[in-house]
Amino acid sequence: GGLAKIMDKYEKHHPALLVDPSAKQTKYAVGNGEIAVGEVYAYYAKDGGKADQGTMIRFVEIVGDTEHRNLPGFTPCECTYPKYGFAAYCDHWVSNVFHRKQFLKTLNDTLGFTPKVDFNAGVVAAGEAIIESTVTGNSSSTLQSAEQALTSHRQVYLPINNALSKVGHVHLFLDQLGQGIQHIASRVSDVVSFVSLVNLRREITGQGFSFLRIPRSYYGRLDAEDLVKAGASQKLATATIQILNDTKLVSPSGIVDLEVTPEIIRGAVSKNLDKTLVGEYEKLTTVITQVVLRARYVNLFKLLRDHFSPETYLNIVRNKVLVDIQGNDVLFQIFTSNILQRKPGDESPFLEFIQRVCSEKKDSSGEPLPIRPGCGGFGIRNFLTLFLSIEVSKAMRQLETAVEQKDEKAASIAERRVKILTNQLDESNPVLTAISDAMTAESDAKAAMVSATSEEKAKLEAEAKEWETKKLEGNKKLQALSDRYKALMKEVREEEEKSAKA
């Protein structure tokens, strides 16, 4: 009877969204039972009155004989999978809409979904492109194992985006395609191995999807100050960085060659270092070498420390996997480039693959603690990284096209866009980390209140308030940062428009 209740709620609160008001559900006899199907339009149209008929939600209820789950018209068949294939399980579906709050209300009125996470305009801004987003969903019970966390579909999450500016991916998606599913996210058991396999197959066969270009600076970079903090004098640190730049082991922007080895680093520095600095360098060789090597993934290391081996960290960087942490849970994410694209340059949907590494903490008796659905969260740091990477990837394609066409002016403008967006990502990362830490601590304090004594509760309330204040302070910093980069991107856009008119 669950389907009938849902369709009754649509009829009561949102009758305009019913696909067929005269037949709210259709029933099909299957085996010794039946399958009932109800269909509604997902969104209201831009003007808010009528239904947008571009996207439907189909509810399916199986009654009676649960062994026969095939919809009418579908025939069961034996499935075979490649030896090295990965099973993928639905995690969430993201919508781009005109009216985010209206869709949230629809889902609350009919399904009881409530907001879980809000990403405000300060958090999600890439240059001039600004959006807001809310993750809504049901409230399900905790999970008992990592296997359940991977395979269970009891938790439903529906993130919803709307554009706040006339530029950027979400605005263009809505303008070109209308409202709809921006991307589908699926869970896999080992996202790093999965992406490595996809990349290898694409290199060998030339087939398969590619992934968004994540700037290497997301993972880490090296500068003289890192060596000074490790104990080197300013003179030795500056000289070492210069040698590494000259020998192409480190780029001028501090990006360390992924394939560099300790022997190559020591050989380059020892061969080219001023004799007056050799004594100091010999004492610090091991420490300096470690700092240089770790700079390839130092931002991840600050989050996860010794949780992974150096080789695992390097595989994450090589395959451009995004990493976030929420409490004791880890989230791996990666996004494909556009799929189902009508023509080059158009906006289109894409896919996301994730791995949720849930905490293995135990209680006082040694039993594993229950796992929260959606452990690892939705990657507040990576949410901004996604939208910045979409814009960076577009700017990189523009740069490549301009270089091919030998259009120096267009190349210069595209190069400036890449640099501005990459700098915004670099500067945003530590602020986002602070906001994420504050959100986690605030949530933990509130969760602890449930079983706390009166005295403990007062202390926890004060702790939660303190973390909430830090979260809001972080949001203000991020908003100011976003405004600054918005102004820089506006200058580039106006220059491009002026150049086009000339």
Side-chain angles (χ1 to χ4, degrees):
L3 175 59
K5 291 178 182 178
I6 291 172
M7 300 307 289
D8 285 345
K9 287 180 180 178
Y10 268 98
E11 184 177 44
K12 178 181 178 180
H13 299 289
H14 303 279
L17 297 179
L18 291 170
V19 171
D20 185 355
S22 64
K24 291 183 292 182
Q25 56 177 301
T26 304
K27 297 182 178 180
Y28 303 91
V30 178
N32 296 319
E34 66 178 17
I35 291 179
V37 179
E39 296 178 334
V40 298
Y41 295 114
Y43 323 114
Y44 282 98
K46 189 175 183 179
D47 61 15
K50 299 178 180 179
D52 180 330
Q53 297 187 11
T55 304
M56 286 196 314
I57 300 175
R58 178 176 290 123
F59 299 99
V60 179
E61 182 176 32
I62 300 172
V63 181
D65 184 359
T66 58
E67 289 187 11
H68 296 83
R69 293 173 175 266
N70 299 294
L71 290 173
F74 288 82
T75 303
C77 65
E78 290 296 324
C79 298
T80 57
Y81 301 97
K83 181 179 179 181
Y84 299 105
F86 277 79
Y89 303 88
C90 293
D91 191 85
H92 60 271
W93 305 263
V94 183
S95 292
N96 284 343
V97 301
F98 292 115
H99 305 293
R100 176 176 52 91
K101 290 182 179 179
Q102 188 176 59
F103 189 31
L104 286 169
K105 184 178 186 306
T106 299
L107 294 172
N108 179 255
D109 290 342
T110 57
L111 301 175
F113 282 14
T114 55
K116 309 301 178 185
V117 183
D118 277 303
F119 297 98
N120 63 31
V123 172
V124 195
E128 289 189 279
I130 305 172
I131 74 163
E132 285 184 321
S133 184
T134 299
V135 179
T136 191
N138 65 322
S139 298
S140 68
S141 57
T142 55
L143 305 166
Q144 301 302 316
S145 68
E147 179 66 18
Q148 273 193 344
L150 173 66
T151 62
S152 175
H153 289 141
R154 70 178 65 168
Q155 177 64 55
V156 177
Y157 286 122
L158 298 178
I160 307 162
N161 305 324
N162 67 272
L164 294 180
S165 64
K166 297 294 185 181
V167 297
H169 161 73
V170 174
H171 165 74
L172 291 174
F173 185 104
L174 291 168
D175 186 55
Q176 295 172 8
L177 304 176
Q179 301 182 109
I181 300 299
Q182 179 213 45
H183 76 266
I184 296 171
S186 301
R187 294 187 297 272
V188 295
S189 59
D190 183 346
V191 81
V192 177
S193 296
F194 167 76
V195 176
S196 298
L197 182 62
V198 171
N199 285 333
L200 182 61
R201 282 181 174 170
R202 189 182 63 254
E203 290 172 10
I204 293 172
T205 67
Q207 298 178 338
F209 42 68
S210 57
F211 299 99
L212 280 183
R213 308 184 198 192
I214 308 300
R216 275 284 309 277
S217 54
Y218 167 84
Y219 302 98
R221 65 200 317 168
L222 177 73
D223 62 29
E225 188 59 31
D226 297 321
L227 300 182
V228 171
K229 289 178 181 177
S233 65
Q234 187 65 55
K235 192 172 182 180
L236 175 60
T238 302
T240 301
I241 294 295
Q242 187 60 56
I243 290 169
L244 295 174
N245 288 162
D246 293 343
T247 53
K248 311 293 186 187
L249 299 179
V250 178
S251 75
S253 60
I255 303 302
V256 180
D257 183 350
L258 278 179
E259 307 309 322
V260 72
T261 65
E263 294 74 23
I264 291 174
I265 294 170
R266 287 195 291 267
V269 177
S270 299
K271 181 180 178 181
N272 297 285
L273 193 63
D274 188 284
K275 291 181 180 180
T276 60
L277 297 172
V278 170
E280 181 187 0
Y281 175 69
E282 288 179 346
K283 293 178 183 177
L284 296 171
T285 298
T286 302
V287 173
I288 288 175
T289 302
Q290 183 183 48
V291 170
V292 174
L293 293 172
R294 187 173 288 165
R296 297 172 293 181
Y297 53 83
V298 68
N299 291 342
L300 303 185
F301 187 81
K302 288 175 182 176
L303 283 175
L304 301 167
R305 310 305 297 180
D306 294 321
H307 195 83
F308 298 113
S309 68
E311 189 53 41
T312 298
Y313 276 122
L314 288 176
N315 277 335
I316 290 171
V317 179
R318 285 190 187 99
N319 291 290
K320 296 180 172 57
V321 174
L322 304 176
V323 181
D324 209 350
I325 187 167
Q326 188 177 78
N328 295 296
D329 302 324
V330 179
L331 177 69
F332 292 102
Q333 296 173 283
I334 194 162
F335 302 88
T336 70
S337 299
N338 291 347
I339 59 172
L340 304 176
Q341 201 169 27
R342 288 174 175 170
K343 62 179 186 287
D346 275 7
E347 297 299 332
S348 67
F350 52 92
L351 302 175
E352 175 186 3
F353 296 95
I354 67 174
Q355 179 186 354
R356 297 187 181 278
V357 184
C358 304
S359 171
E360 297 179 358
K361 288 182 69 175
K362 298 181 179 180
D363 60 22
S364 56
S365 65
E367 291 297 314
L369 290 171
I371 296 171
R372 291 178 296 181
C375 75
F378 284 84
I380 183 171
R381 295 169 69 251
N382 294 344
F383 204 79
L384 176 60
T385 301
L386 164 62
F387 284 92
L388 278 165
S389 297
I390 289 172
E391 300 303 323
V392 167
S393 293
K394 286 161 60 176
M396 285 180 170
R397 287 195 296 272
Q398 291 168 354
L399 176 58
E400 289 166 357
T401 300
V403 170
E404 287 175 7
Q405 296 175 351
K406 298 182 179 179
D407 187 338
E408 293 183 5
K409 185 65 177 177
S412 174
I413 289 172
E415 196 167 12
R416 283 171 61 191
R417 279 202 178 100
V418 172
K419 186 174 182 180
I420 289 170
L421 292 167
T422 302
N423 287 345
Q424 182 181 355
L425 176 59
D426 295 344
E427 201 171 336
S428 300
N429 257 332
V431 182
L432 286 163
T433 298
I435 293 172
S436 180
D437 290 345
M439 288 175 66
T440 300
E442 179 190 6
S443 176
D444 288 346
K446 288 180 176 179
M449 288 183 203
V450 177
S451 57
T453 63
S454 298
E455 185 178 342
E456 290 171 337
K457 190 173 182 180
K459 183 179 178 182
L460 288 167
E461 284 177 344
E463 188 178 322
K465 188 67 178 176
E466 181 182 349
W467 284 113
E468 182 186 20
T469 301
K470 290 183 179 180
K471 177 183 69 178
L472 295 175
E473 288 172 352
N475 282 336
K476 286 181 181 178
K477 286 183 182 178
L478 201 58
Q479 183 69 64
L481 191 154
S482 297
D483 289 344
R484 179 155 50 85
Y485 280 100
K486 176 183 175 182
L488 290 172
M489 286 294 283
K490 182 181 178 182
E491 288 178 11
V492 176
R493 176 175 55 80
E494 289 176 343
E495 181 182 330
E496 183 179 38
E497 291 171 352
K498 184 178 178 181
S499 176
K501 292 177 182 178

